[in-house]
Amino acid sequence: MNTRTSHRSLLRWVAAAATVLLGSAAGSASAQEVTLKVHHFLPAGSYANTMFIQPWCDKIAKESNNRMKCQIYPSMQLGGTPPQLIDQVRDGVVDVIWTLTGYTPGRFPRVEVFELPFMMQNPEATSKALWDYVQQYAPQEFKDMHPIAFHVHGDGVFHLRDKPIRTLADFKGLKLRAPTRQTNKFLAALGATPVAMPVPAVGEAIAKGVIDGAVVPYEVVPSVKVQELVKFHSETDPAEPAFYTSTFVFAMNKAKYQALPADLKKVIDAHSGQAFSGQIGKVFLAADAEGKKLTARNTTNVIPASELVNWKKAGQPLIDTWVADMNGKGANGQQLLDGARALIAKHSAAAR
């Protein structure tokens, strides 16, 4: 064998070896398996878990050929309290969380605009609007995590132990639980004494008489067994915007997402974003219908639009204060408020 032939043979051998090594590396990357620790505050049997979180996990498992799976830890099983979920996903203690942004007051001030009185029109449309709003007006508030979805729940409902709410005067003397800073302020403006607490604490607080009732959507009813603790449910006119809603974030640890192989990132991306946010809002609307069925033995009343005029007047100073607060933080508060309302109107019109 001459030198030239020997050299060609060596090159072929090197090329073949490189192909094998590259193929092995690619095969190893494509075979990578990932388990996502998903942490949230509601029980495993809650509608949020069974109708939204578990189905999301099932989809990403199926579309990744079971290379990416979830291990769901409901009811804060990995420790901590609901307000600590944001830090848990930021710090990599867990991989994915679902929580209310309002459980950490002041941390997401721009998003609070959706929690102001009478903003929410329809949970599907408003959830899409919330996703768009964050991308346009508040991306920096979530820069420490990888958002998968933002959404709201359906109409808030008053669940009361001893008497219903029919007019503004009925708020006087009532101690009512609310989920967020803005809703607490609104209840105070209406004449009630607000008591802030996460959902898991509501049942015991009602049972022990610490509070007279709570504002939560119907989808929360089975998680807290509200129907067994109260006798009255006061709704607002369904043709009117909800008197309150809460904003939620479903997010992944940023480093965990960035470390995923490209094909697994695509699976996550396919189940993230505006459309997925809207789907969650739609799920929560369906969950409200299921939760309401459990209250059939109790008394329900609807507060008419003519009465809600008085509530809107009481709530306007809260809106003005939020705008002023945002101005004080260097933002254009009115622009943010107008932007949120325009996005809600846009998506609500598209949903009709």
Side-chain angles (χ1 to χ4, degrees):
M1 181 181 296
N2 60 36
T3 302
R4 184 177 296 176
T5 303
S6 176
H7 183 63
R8 283 201 298 265
S9 296
L10 179 61
L11 288 176
R12 282 198 296 270
W13 181 88
V14 170
T19 300
V20 170
L21 288 171
L22 288 171
S24 175
S28 175
S30 64
Q32 180 178 338
E33 294 187 0
V34 176
T35 299
L36 300 175
K37 292 185 290 185
V38 181
H39 204 201
H40 68 87
F41 59 91
L42 286 182
S46 64
Y47 291 131
N49 194 70
T50 60
M51 296 176 70
F52 146 50
I53 297 171
Q54 185 64 59
W56 182 84
C57 287
D58 292 343
K59 286 176 183 176
I60 66 167
K62 181 179 179 181
E63 294 182 18
S64 66
N65 293 318
N66 287 321
R67 286 174 44 229
M68 185 162 53
K69 301 177 183 178
C70 296
Q71 179 62 54
I72 301 176
Y73 296 91
S75 299
M76 301 303 299
Q77 288 177 357
L78 293 179
T81 62
Q84 293 172 326
L85 284 164
I86 292 291
D87 286 337
Q88 288 182 358
V89 79
R90 181 198 65 186
D91 297 340
V93 175
V94 300
D95 300 314
V96 178
I97 56 100
W98 172 72
T99 191
L100 283 80
T101 61
Y103 280 173
T104 49
R107 193 159 180 173
F108 306 102
R110 291 184 176 222
V111 169
E112 279 189 334
V113 66
F114 281 77
E115 297 172 353
L116 293 172
F118 300 101
M119 287 290 289
M120 202 278 292
Q121 294 280 346
N122 165 291
E124 180 179 4
T126 305
S127 295
K128 290 181 178 180
L130 177 57
W131 175 271
D132 287 354
Y133 175 89
V134 171
Q135 312 315 305
Q136 187 171 347
Y137 297 107
Q140 287 299 107
E141 292 192 346
F142 300 91
K143 62 182 174 58
D144 294 331
M145 63 191 82
H146 178 79
I148 297 170
F150 297 101
H151 73 94
V152 300
H153 59 55
D155 287 22
V157 178
F158 294 93
H159 307 273
L160 302 140
R161 195 178 55 181
D162 301 319
K163 61 178 183 178
I165 289 175
R166 292 193 174 90
T167 69
L168 204 56
D170 294 326
F171 283 100
K172 189 175 182 180
L174 288 181
K175 291 179 291 184
L176 297 175
R177 173 269 178 186
T180 69
R181 178 169 65 173
Q182 294 301 333
T183 312
N184 276 312
K185 289 180 179 179
F186 191 26
L187 288 178
L190 294 172
T193 300
V195 182
M197 65 178 68
V199 162
V202 168
E204 184 178 2
I206 294 176
K208 290 185 175 180
V210 174
I211 55 177
D212 300 302
V215 289
V216 293
Y218 277 120
E219 59 90 8
V220 173
V221 165
S223 300
V224 186
K225 298 185 177 179
V226 170
Q227 76 278 15
E228 299 174 12
L229 299 168
V230 305
K231 298 177 182 177
F232 302 96
H233 309 275
S234 297
E235 306 172 5
T236 53
D237 186 335
E240 292 288 309
F243 84 93
Y244 99 98
T245 192
S246 297
T247 57
F248 295 78
V249 57
F250 187 50
M252 190 171 181
N253 173 263
K254 199 168 187 176
K256 186 76 173 184
Y257 173 80
Q258 291 174 341
L260 291 175
D263 60 335
L264 295 188
K265 281 183 183 175
K266 286 182 180 179
V267 173
I268 296 292
D269 294 346
H271 299 286
S272 301
Q274 185 213 86
F276 180 54
S277 296
Q279 289 169 17
I280 301 173
K282 191 174 183 178
V283 163
F284 272 66
L285 187 60
D288 280 342
E290 293 301 311
K292 184 173 181 176
K293 292 176 184 177
L294 301 176
T295 67
R297 294 183 180 181
N298 296 338
T299 300
T300 300
N301 69 290
V302 177
I303 300 153
S306 57
E307 170 59 23
L308 295 179
V309 170
N310 301 320
W311 297 26
K312 291 176 182 178
K313 289 178 182 176
Q316 185 58 45
L318 273 74
I319 298 172
D320 297 338
T321 298
W322 182 85
V323 168
D325 286 347
M326 293 310 302
N327 290 343
K329 295 178 187 296
N332 185 327
Q334 190 62 48
Q335 182 185 54
L336 295 176
L337 176 64
D338 292 345
R341 285 174 168 166
L343 286 167
I344 291 170
K346 170 188 169 183
H347 286 291
S348 296
R352 292 191 188 106

